[in-house]
Amino acid sequence: MEKRFLAPSEVAKSIIASAETKASLSVTRLLILGIMAGAYIGFGAFGDIVIMQTLGNIDVGLMKFAGGLVFPVGLMLVVFSGSELFTGNNLMTMAIMDKKISVYGLLRNWFLVYLGNFIGSLTLAYLIHKSYLVSQSVLDVTLNIASSKMSLSFQTALIRGVLCNILVCLAVWMAAAAQDIISRIFVIWFPIMLFVLSGYEHSVANMFFLPLAKYSGLNTTWSNIWFSNLIPVTLGNILGGGVIIPIANYITYILPEKNK
């Protein structure tokens, strides 16, 4: 019988091997793949907004649930297309622990991918704004989402970022374990749906939500967007996906084999 899932120890080795490849990609490839991933997450985020405004007058709980069902499409596009997402690439710290890549290689990847993600998200937000798809009802949801995110304290945004990327990196981890596309769809879908329903904060998604709101009339500045949300959320994402999950899995699955 064909093997349907890799064991956790096999996934850990796969994540490390993938990090080696990611650290060696050219600047051009990292930027292009990062731009693509930023746009893909933005597609999922806008779908989230559209379905939320459709159901907003019916029930708030149903509205959030429907948004959670749609948003995971963004990460599916990222995983299946092979593009580069900053939050998923936080798992590359496992390769640092295993001495397979340098700190420079890690930071180079993170910087270029983060920049690419921002460009992709920003571009999609601008194009959607100019496409006149932001009707009054869509605008109301967009501004409510952005206002809520901008009102968070630094600590709250940081913690929500930690919790978010624990789930995102678990989705990426399980997608690496799955050996067929249907399995990968489901293992991505549920953790991402859970983080959306829970109200956690994802830096790349916010690179779309907040600029779209600004383009559409939100009274804020770019510096406020960065300091009130993107910076603390990004730091939280790194702690959740680049520290907690990698350390736990490295100690659990890689070290025992090294210590035999």
Side-chain angles (χ1 to χ4, degrees), residues 19-137:
E20 291 184 77
T21 300
K22 290 174 181 290
S24 67
L25 293 177
S26 69
V27 171
T28 301
R29 288 187 68 185
L30 285 174
L31 279 174
I32 292 174
L33 292 172
I35 290 169
M36 291 166 61
Y40 295 158
I41 294 299
F43 281 129
F46 188 65
D48 178 9
I49 292 172
V50 171
I51 198 165
M52 285 177 68
Q53 65 88 24
T54 302
L55 298 174
N57 294 326
I58 300 175
D59 182 80
V60 174
L62 179 62
M63 176 182 74
K64 288 188 67 176
F65 180 65
L69 291 177
V70 171
F71 187 88
V73 173
L75 186 59
M76 292 176 199
L77 292 172
V78 169
V79 170
F80 298 145
S81 72
S83 54
E84 294 284 307
L85 183 66
F86 170 76
T87 46
N89 284 9
N90 287 168
L91 285 170
M92 290 174 64
T93 52
M94 287 189 70
I96 290 284
M97 298 176 215
D98 210 43
K99 299 180 180 179
K100 292 294 194 301
I101 65 173
S102 66
V103 173
Y104 170 77
L106 174 76
L107 296 179
R108 172 181 173 275
N109 177 281
W110 280 5
F111 173 76
L112 292 170
V113 170
Y114 192 89
L115 176 61
N117 290 168
F118 183 67
I119 294 170
S121 301
L122 200 68
T123 302
L124 182 66
Y126 182 77
L127 291 174
I128 287 177
H129 169 67
K130 286 298 185 179
S131 70
Y132 299 102
L133 288 171
V134 184
S135 62
Q136 186 58 52
S137 55

Side-chain angles (χ1 to χ4, degrees), residues 105-239:
L106 174 76
L107 296 179
R108 172 181 173 275
N109 177 281
W110 280 5
F111 173 76
L112 292 170
V113 170
Y114 192 89
L115 176 61
N117 290 168
F118 183 67
I119 294 170
S121 301
L122 200 68
T123 302
L124 182 66
Y126 182 77
L127 291 174
I128 287 177
H129 169 67
K130 286 298 185 179
S131 70
Y132 299 102
L133 288 171
V134 184
S135 62
Q136 186 58 52
S137 55
V138 170
L139 176 61
D140 291 341
V141 174
T142 301
L143 295 180
N144 285 338
I145 290 173
S147 297
S148 175
K149 291 178 180 296
M150 295 292 290
S151 66
L152 300 176
S153 68
F154 190 97
Q155 178 180 331
T156 300
L158 179 78
I159 294 172
R160 291 187 185 184
V162 172
L163 297 173
C164 172
N165 215 27
I166 286 176
L167 288 174
V168 171
C169 285
L170 286 174
V172 172
W173 182 280
M174 292 191 294
Q179 298 297 290
D180 63 88
I181 193 167
I182 299 300
S183 298
R184 288 185 175 183
I185 287 172
F186 279 101
V187 298
I188 291 170
W189 195 351
F190 288 102
I192 303 305
M193 178 181 69
L194 184 59
F195 107 62
V196 174
L197 285 175
S198 301
Y200 302 148
E201 294 288 314
H202 187 270
S203 56
V204 181
N206 290 358
M207 291 175 186
F208 173 82
F209 283 126
L210 299 177
L212 180 62
K214 179 171 174 55
Y215 292 145
S216 302
L218 181 68
N219 185 22
T220 190
T221 62
W222 288 108
S223 62
N224 197 32
I225 286 173
W226 279 99
F227 287 102
S228 295
N229 186 273
L230 291 182
I231 289 176
V233 170
T234 299
L235 293 174
N237 288 167
I238 292 172
L239 287 174

